[in-house]
Amino acid sequence: MYRSHNCGELRSAHIGQSVTLSGWVQKTRDKGFVIWVDLRDRYGITQLVFDEERSPAGIMEQSRSLGREFVIQAKGTVIERASKNSNIPTGDIEILVSEIQILNTSMTPPFTIEDNTDGGEDIRMKYRYLDIRRNPVKDNLIFRHKVTMEVRKYLSNQGFIEVETPYLIKSTPEGARDFVVPSRMNEGQFYALPQSPQTFKQLLMVGGMDKYFQIVKCFRDEDLRADRQPEFTQIDCEMAFIEQEDILNVFEGLTAHLLKEIVGVDSSNFPRITYDEALKKYGNDKPDIRFGMEFGELNAVAQHKDFNVFNTAELVVGIAVPGGASHTRKEIDALVDWVRRPQIGAKGMVYVKCNDDGSFKSSVDKFYNQEDLALWAEKTGAKAGDLICVLSGDTHTTRGQLSALRMEMAERLGLRKPDEFAPLWVVDFPLLELDIETGNYHAMHHPFTSPKPGHLSLLETDPDAVRANAYDLVLNGNEIGGGSIRIHDKETQATMFKHLGFTAEEARAQFGFLMDAFQYGAPPHGGIAFGLDRLVAILGGQETIRDFIAFPKNNSGRDIMIDAPAPIDGEQLKELHLKLDEQA
C-alpha cells in the first residue's frame, strides 16, 4: 500500500508505530548531519527526519536528491519531535524515515505552493492543478463540497427528487445568448447548451414529479464581468401544488440550514420588501441590509429654494454616512471626485456636515438655512457627527449612483463584515421591462413567469403596472436565488407570448412542446434557482466566485490552462457542415 496514514492525522498517541506516508515534498532543510523534509498531502503536513546516527546507510544521500513537489513514499517510525510546532496539528511528532521511494520527480513549480504564494493570478490560472495544492484553493473546494452535500441533505429530507435534464437542447430567446453546438448528423441544425433547465423542470411538474431539484451546469454566452463565468452552477428547484408562500418558506429553511451547518449562524429573520421599496430605500433590487444608510428623498424640502440644480432634478436624494462629519474638506473633495468618475457618472455631490453642537455646515449654505438643513437631516436619519451626501438628477440614474456611493462608504467604514449574514426577500417585481431602444417589452425574468393574481388584465391597458409573482433571495447585497410562480395554462401562456412580441407561429415553433404539455393537466407550480458559485463564495466570506471553482475561466471567458476556446481543423468543420468566412 502507498500509505497507512495521511499527512494530517498522526499525533503523540502514534509514537512508536511504524507508518507509511505518501505525498509531495513541500520543502527540505539540510543541516549536514540531519535533514528535515516537510511532506504534504491534502490532509496536512508531516515532518520527516533523516540523520546520520539513526537512519539506514545511504538514505541521507537519497534524501538530498529530493526536490520541491517530488512525489515520494516514506516508511518509518513515529517519534517525538524535539522542537514542537504548535502551528500544525502534527507538530508534536515526526517520522524517522527508514525507507524512501521516489514515485515521481517534479520540475521546479512556477510559483511557491504555499498559502501566501508569489504567483500572480494569470500564472496560477495557467497552472491551476498546482494552485489547487495550496491550502486556500484546496480548502475552498472542500468548502464547496460541504455546501453541496448540505443542500442535497436538506432537499432530500424535504422530499425533493434529484433529476438530470439534458445539456443538448433547443435554442430559445431567454435574454443572454446561447452557446450553440452544431449537429454532424443533422446538417445545418444546432443544439444549444441550456441557460437553465427551465422548461424541463416545468415538464417534470406536468409529469407528476412534484418536488424536483438538480445541481446543474448552465451556460450563457454573454459579455463577461469580473464575477461572471460563461459556465456556472445552479441549485435548480421546482415544486407543484404550491403558492409563493410555500416556496419562500421552504427556501428560507434551506438558507437557514446552510447558515447554521456551514458557518454556525442562527438566522430566522428573512424580511421581505417589494421591488419598488428596495429601489426607493437602497437604489437597487439586491440591497445589503447589514448596515443602514437608507435613502432619504429630499424633493419636498430641497426644491424651490433658488438652487437650480435641485429645482430641475426629477429626484433629490441623500444618505447619512455615520461619523462622516469628521471628514476633512480634502477628503470630501476626493469623495466628490469619486462620484464623478465615469463608472458612477454623477455631475457632483452636495454635502452637509452635522456638527456635534447641533448646527449644520453645507456646500450650499448660500441657498439653505439651518432650518432647511435640519429637515434634510430628519429625512435621511442623520445624527450629530454624520455626513449627509446628496445627489440629484433623473430618478433611475440617481438612485443607481447613490447606491454605488452607499456601498463604497460601507466598504470604507468596515460595515460589510464577511462574517455577518443578512438575508431578505425582494418580491413583486415588474413582469415586463421596456426596451427603450426598440420600444418593445421583454420579460424581466423569463416568459413563463406568472403575473400576480388580478394583474393579467392590465397587460392590455397598463403593462408597466403588471407585477410578477416572482421573488429574489438576497444575501449581503448579492442575489443568491430567484424564481417565480409559473404560468400553467395554455391560454395565459399564449397571452404572455403575444405581449412579448411573439406571433402565434413563432411561439409555436419555439415553445410548442410546452404549450402541448399544458393541455394534459399541468398543475400549479413554481420554483427557484440559486447560484451555487456565488452562494458558496458569500458563505465562505468572499465575493469572488473564481476562488471556489476548480477550473475557472478568466475575465475574457478563456481557460488559459487548456487554451480554450480554440480553432478546430478543417476536417472537423467539414464533418459539421461548417465553413469559416476567410475574409472575417
Side-chain angles (χ1 to χ4, degrees):
M1 61 181 177
Y2 281 111
R3 56 186 178 185
S4 60
H5 299 77
N6 64 55
C7 292
E9 69 177 293
L10 295 174
R11 302 290 189 271
S12 297
H14 297 93
I15 289 174
Q17 292 186 18
S18 296
V19 298
T20 302
L21 302 181
S22 293
W24 289 265
V25 173
Q26 174 86 5
K27 63 175 66 171
T28 61
R29 298 178 297 283
D30 189 343
K31 295 298 184 182
F33 62 91
V34 61
I35 298 171
W36 293 278
V37 173
D38 288 344
L39 188 66
R40 183 195 71 244
D41 62 12
R42 82 168 172 94
Y43 305 96
I45 291 176
T46 297
Q47 180 170 281
L48 312 180
V49 62
F50 307 79
D51 73 40
E52 292 179 345
E53 293 184 1
R54 295 178 293 174
S55 298
I59 201 170
M60 294 289 288
E61 289 308 311
Q62 192 178 4
S63 68
R64 288 191 171 95
S65 68
L66 301 179
R68 281 170 51 201
E69 300 306 309
F70 276 35
V71 186
I72 66 170
Q73 180 190 60
K75 297 181 180 180
T77 304
V78 182
I79 62 174
E80 186 174 5
R81 188 164 167 169
S83 299
K84 294 181 171 56
N85 182 354
S86 60
N87 294 320
I88 58 174
T90 60
D92 289 343
I93 59 91
E94 59 190 1
I95 310 302
L96 179 61
V97 179
S98 58
E99 183 180 337
I100 188 171
Q101 181 180 354
I102 296 175
L103 303 176
N104 215 334
T105 60
S106 173
M107 295 174 59
T108 301
F111 53 87
T112 56
I113 313 298
E114 295 177 359
D115 290 2
N116 297 313
T117 182
D118 56 359
E121 185 174 16
D122 287 346
I123 195 72
R124 289 187 290 107
M125 290 272 280
K126 184 174 181 179
Y127 296 93
R128 184 64 167 180
Y129 45 86
L130 296 179
D131 202 27
I132 291 172
R133 294 180 189 173
R134 296 193 311 114
N135 283 329
V137 181
K138 175 203 72 177
D139 291 344
N140 283 348
L141 296 182
I142 294 171
F143 184 84
R144 182 186 177 109
H145 161 74
K146 290 178 179 177
V147 173
T148 57
M149 290 298 291
E150 290 299 332
V151 168
R152 284 192 163 97
K153 181 195 299 183
Y154 175 86
L155 292 175
S156 296
N157 288 339
Q158 292 289 320
F160 284 78
I161 304 300
E162 186 167 12
V163 182
E164 294 178 89
T165 54
Y167 280 152
L168 296 176
I169 66 169
K170 184 178 184 177
S171 183
T172 58
E174 282 195 49
R177 295 182 182 88
D178 290 327
F179 282 101
V180 294
V181 181
S183 170
R184 181 178 63 84
M185 301 294 289
N186 300 276
E187 182 175 351
Q189 296 185 319
F190 297 81
Y191 298 106
L193 300 179
Q195 295 183 37
S196 81
Q198 181 61 46
T199 54
F200 288 101
K201 64 180 180 179
Q202 291 191 248
L203 292 172
L204 285 168
M205 297 303 103
V206 178
M209 302 294 288
D210 65 337
K211 288 185 176 182
Y212 142 93
F213 85 98
Q214 183 180 189
I215 297 178
V216 59
K217 280 284 188 185
C218 300
F219 308 85
R220 289 180 185 168
D221 188 9
E222 60 184 348
D223 294 337
L224 295 172
R225 287 180 273 175
D227 209 34
R228 292 283 180 90
Q229 290 278 301
E231 56 178 312
F232 55 96
T233 305
Q234 282 187 183
I235 307 167
D236 200 61
C237 309
E238 198 81 2
M239 300 171 69
F241 301 111
I242 47 82
E243 296 177 337
Q244 177 175 297
E245 193 66 23
D246 301 302
I247 297 280
L248 269 55
N249 287 335
V250 168
F251 292 98
E252 278 183 20
L254 172 60
T255 308
H257 175 80
L258 293 176
L259 288 171
K260 176 66 174 175
E261 296 300 322
I262 301 297
V263 296
V265 171
D266 287 310
S267 180
S268 58
N269 185 27
F270 285 73
R272 302 177 188 182
I273 62 173
T274 66
Y275 171 84
D276 291 337
E277 185 183 0
L279 293 185
K280 188 171 183 176
K281 285 187 174 182
Y282 304 102
N284 67 65
D285 60 2
K286 47 181 183 296
D288 190 337
I289 59 169
R290 284 175 292 180
F291 54 95
M293 286 194 276
E294 291 185 8
F295 289 11
E297 295 192 358
L298 304 175
N299 292 51
V301 295
Q303 291 183 326
H304 313 300
K305 299 287 184 178
D306 297 327
F307 186 51
N308 202 44
V309 172
F310 285 176
N311 291 341
T312 58
E314 184 180 7
L315 177 68
V316 183
V317 63
I319 57 172
V321 178
S326 62
H327 279 47
T328 65
R329 179 59 187 270
K330 183 177 180 181
E331 289 172 325
I332 293 175
D333 287 345
L335 204 55
V336 174
D337 291 339
W338 188 90
V339 300
R340 283 175 169 163
R341 297 181 312 147
Q343 300 94 317
I344 308 300
K347 293 180 180 179
M349 185 187 83
V350 169
Y351 71 86
V352 181
K353 285 187 174 185
C354 303
N355 299 320
D356 290 336
D357 63 4
S359 66
F360 302 94
K361 176 63 180 173
S362 82
S363 55
V364 286
D365 282 343
K366 179 180 177 181
F367 302 97
Y368 298 94
N369 59 34
Q370 292 291 296
E371 290 74 19
D372 295 326
L373 299 178
L375 291 174
W376 294 20
E378 181 182 333
K379 291 285 188 180
T380 58
K383 299 178 178 61
D386 291 351
L387 177 73
I388 304 172
C389 300
V390 182
L391 301 181
S392 63
D394 73 86
T395 298
H396 176 75
T397 302
T398 304
R399 282 175 172 170
Q401 292 165 348
L402 191 61
S403 174
L405 177 60
R406 175 179 180 267
M407 296 295 279
E408 175 67 16
M409 297 311 296
E411 196 72 47
R412 294 185 185 188
L413 294 170
L415 301 176
R416 302 191 68 204
K417 299 176 182 177
D419 57 349
E420 291 183 4
F421 299 92
L424 82 156
W425 289 103
V426 179
V427 299
D428 294 356
F429 285 82
L431 183 68
L432 305 174
E433 282 184 305
L434 180 65
D435 188 321
I436 302 299
E437 293 183 5
T438 65
N440 297 325
Y441 283 96
H442 62 266
M444 178 171 271
H445 286 79
H446 53 61
F448 317 110
T449 296
S450 173
K452 287 186 72 69
H455 282 228
L456 183 62
S457 60
L458 294 174
L459 281 173
E460 296 287 352
T461 59
D462 191 3
D464 290 317
V466 181
R467 288 297 177 259
N469 209 341
Y471 32 83
D472 280 357
L473 183 57
V474 176
L475 183 62
N476 294 1
N478 293 272
E479 177 201 334
I480 60 167
S484 66
I485 302 300
R486 322 301 186 191
I487 296 168
H488 68 278
D489 65 277
K490 182 179 179 181
E491 290 73 23
T492 304
Q493 188 65 74
T495 300
M496 184 66 175
F497 285 144
K498 184 184 81 170
H499 285 279
L500 291 173
F502 288 87
T503 66
E505 293 74 20
E506 288 170 338
R508 181 73 199 172
Q510 291 285 349
F511 303 108
F513 65 94
L514 187 63
M515 306 282 273
D516 288 344
F518 283 175
Q519 298 178 102
Y520 291 93
H525 61 281
I528 192 169
F530 286 74
L532 178 64
D533 308 300
R534 183 169 288 113
L535 173 62
V536 170
I538 294 170
L539 292 175
Q542 302 178 42
E543 293 189 7
T544 304
I545 65 174
R546 280 201 302 268
D547 294 340
F548 292 84
I549 298 173
F551 299 102
K553 307 291 189 292
N554 68 9
N555 287 349
S556 300
R558 294 196 63 83
D559 186 325
I560 58 177
M561 181 182 67
I562 64 173
D563 193 24
I568 59 176
D569 65 36
E571 282 303 310
Q572 284 178 292
L573 288 171
K574 186 176 179 181
E575 281 187 336
L576 295 170
H577 318 290
L578 296 176
K579 184 178 180 181
L580 293 182
D581 184 355
E582 295 180 0
Q583 301 301 316

